[in-house]
Amino acid sequence: MQSLFLWIAFVPLLFLQQASTTLKHYTPLFENDEVRVGRVMLAAGESEGLHVHPYPRVLICLEGATIEVKRQDGSIVRTVYRPGDTKYQADTQPHEPVNTGTTQFEAVVVE
């Protein structure tokens, strides 16, 4: 029973340790002590990889695509982005976005 408790207590921590704050397809545009701005580009079929954002953010879509976000609980959230769409994203939990569309996704992210 004790080993089950330890497994339940520490498996989520292992998942969090694997989540990076570094994005593979992210180009920094501006950063200071109060704000970070970057451009993310994700080709059709590509994954950004498992990562976390330390802060809530605003995403402004420049080139639209269909993005499926895999969450820690196994759920998948599918969003169709169109150029000009602006979304506030408060979730700071580990997630993995995948461009399941046929076009490149490009956005500016302000956090």
Side-chain angles (χ1 to χ4, degrees), residues 7 22 28 45 47 58 60 62 65 89 104 109:
W7 186 83
T22 303
S47 165
V58 173
I60 303 109
L62 303 176
Q89 300 173 330
Q104 174 175 274
V109 179

Side-chain angles (χ1 to χ4, degrees), residues 12-88:
L13 294 176
L14 292 173
F15 183 82
L16 287 174
Q17 289 175 351
Q18 294 174 3
S20 174
T21 57
T22 303
L23 302 176
K24 297 185 295 186
H25 302 95
Y26 179 88
T27 303
L29 299 175
F30 175 83
E31 185 172 351
N32 65 21
D33 292 339
E34 298 182 23
V35 68
R36 178 170 79 165
V37 180
R39 181 182 309 260
V40 64
M41 295 172 53
L42 199 57
E46 282 192 320
S47 165
E48 183 55 60
L50 180 66
H51 67 276
V52 296
H53 295 269
Y55 308 106
R57 62 218 162 272
V58 173
L59 180 143
I60 303 109
C61 178
L62 303 176
E63 291 184 47
T66 301
I67 304 293
E68 289 187 357
V69 176
K70 299 175 186 177
R71 302 208 178 276
Q72 184 176 4
D73 64 3
S75 65
I76 296 176
V77 177
R78 181 176 183 262
T79 304
V80 177
Y81 287 95
R82 291 180 175 35
D85 285 352
T86 303
K87 306 234 185 251
Y88 175 73

